[in-house]
């Protein structure tokens, strides 16, 4: 398997523009997580899905952020409108059957580095 | 609210040294604890996962221990190598939730 795939790897945009980040989880994984990493706040969970259904979105900072998972092999994280404080590295991760020993490992994608000017 | 801290924030050692990285968490009601490695500009790679009922896990030169009652975990790296240079993060998962809470990480530099 190619691992978790994220696109784009780098995104530079201007304040007010819409940004869409994409993620393809590992085939067969039924959990998908979106994280944001900054120097100030470290790694924060934004939202996670189980079987394409959002389970916990309490980490989503505000209404400008939305995430979807239309099928088991694709998820998007959208920011509209974007602001400079959204600049961060956004990671997607997937895992299989949380709660089962040795299958609880999360596999991370390479991340998308977002810069909002 | 679970808080995870890691000490030290940064560590620089000469090649060949044995070293210990520390992780502390405030709520002992955890399901498991995981250690990750992050290389610059890359995602996280899982190193070791310890279930709450376990005391330690070993993989090669790495050994992770867990003391749930005191809210502590350590990652022991034996005979460190320059290739071990990276940021090491610990993360805990609650009994009552599915998400991981991450520590801020320890940035390790192993000098040749």
């Amino acid at each position: 398997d190619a691992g978790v795939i994220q696109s784009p790897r780098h995104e530079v945009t201007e304040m007010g523009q819409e940004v869409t980040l994409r993620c393809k989880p590992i085939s067969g994984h039924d959990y998908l997580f979106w994280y944001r990493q900054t120097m100030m706040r470290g790694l924060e969970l934004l939202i996670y899905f189980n079987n394409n259904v959002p389970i916990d979105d309490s980490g989503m900072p505000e209404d400008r952020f939305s995430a979807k998972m239309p099928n088991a092999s694709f998820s998007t994280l959208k920011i509209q409108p974007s602001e400079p404080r959204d600049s961060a590295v956004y990671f997607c991760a997937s895992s299989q059957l949380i709660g089962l020993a040795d299958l609880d490992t999360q596999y991370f994608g390479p991340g998308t580095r977002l810069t909002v000017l | 609210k679970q808080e995870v801290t890691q000490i030290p924030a940064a560590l620089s050692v000469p090649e060949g040294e044995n070293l210990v990285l520390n992780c502390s968490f405030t709520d002992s009601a955890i399901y498991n604890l995981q250690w990750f490695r992050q290389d610059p500009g890359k995602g996280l790679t899982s190193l070791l996962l310890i279930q709450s009922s376990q005391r330690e896990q070993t993989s090669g030169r790495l050994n992770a221990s867990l003391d749930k009652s005191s809210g502590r975990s350590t990652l022991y790296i034996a005979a460190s190598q320059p290739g071990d240079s990276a940021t090491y993060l610990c993360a805990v998962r609650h009994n009552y939730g599915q998400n991981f809470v991450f520590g801020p990480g320890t940035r390790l530099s192993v000098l040749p």
Side-chain angles (χ1 to χ4, degrees):
Chain A
D1 200 310
V4 176
I5 299 173
Q6 290 186 249
S7 65
R9 292 295 310 278
H10 301 273
E11 177 82 26
V12 180
T13 190
E14 292 189 347
M15 182 174 65
Q17 297 297 306
E18 177 180 295
V19 175
T20 299
L21 311 181
R22 297 173 176 79
C23 174
K24 176 177 167 45
I26 292 173
S27 177
H29 283 192
D30 47 5
Y31 282 85
L32 184 139
F33 303 80
W34 281 102
Y35 291 90
R36 177 172 68 176
Q37 187 176 41
T38 62
M39 288 293 293
M40 290 294 294
R41 301 174 67 91
L43 197 63
E44 303 173 285
L45 177 69
L46 300 177
I47 186 171
Y48 77 91
F49 295 82
N50 176 217
N51 292 322
N52 314 337
V53 176
I55 301 301
D56 183 354
D57 64 354
S58 59
M60 296 286 262
E62 48 197 277
D63 292 346
R64 297 184 297 107
F65 286 69
S66 63
K68 293 182 179 180
M69 192 165 185
N71 57 62
S73 59
F74 183 67
S75 177
T76 59
L77 177 67
K78 186 174 294 186
I79 309 172
Q80 166 63 19
S82 58
E83 297 182 4
R85 60 194 168 116
D86 301 330
S87 298
V89 181
Y90 291 81
F91 288 103
C92 176
S94 69
S95 71
Q96 183 178 17
L97 292 175
I98 280 187
L100 214 60
D102 297 326
L103 295 179
D104 207 7
T105 299
Q106 292 191 15
Y107 295 86
F108 280 72
T112 295
R113 182 173 296 277
L114 173 65
T115 302
V116 183
L117 303 173
Chain B
K1 179 186 173 187
Q2 178 75 273
E3 291 186 5
V4 181
T5 55
Q6 292 187 245
I7 294 174
L11 181 63
S12 185
V13 300
E15 181 177 4
E17 271 204 9
N18 302 325
L19 55 99
V20 175
L21 308 181
N22 297 290
C23 171
S24 298
F25 46 95
T26 55
D27 187 345
S28 62
I30 66 169
Y31 186 81
N32 60 38
L33 182 145
Q34 202 159 5
W35 283 92
F36 291 85
R37 167 185 174 138
Q38 185 175 27
D39 293 284
K42 301 285 182 63
L44 279 68
T45 301
S46 177
L47 298 173
L48 290 165
L49 183 150
I50 311 177
Q51 301 294 341
S52 62
S53 57
Q54 298 175 320
R55 297 284 296 186
E56 65 178 335
Q57 281 284 345
T58 298
S59 175
R61 294 182 294 108
L62 306 179
N63 176 276
S65 67
L66 175 63
D67 185 343
K68 232 178 66 165
S69 60
S70 67
R72 293 181 183 179
S73 176
T74 61
L75 179 66
Y76 175 83
I77 303 177
S80 58
Q81 303 171 358
D84 295 330
S85 298
T87 297
Y88 291 80
L89 298 94
C90 70
V92 298
R93 184 161 88 78
H94 299 155
N95 283 338
Y96 47 85
Q98 302 296 325
N99 55 300
F100 282 89
V101 177
F102 282 80
T106 293
R107 191 171 66 254
L108 172 66
S109 295
V110 181
L111 307 175

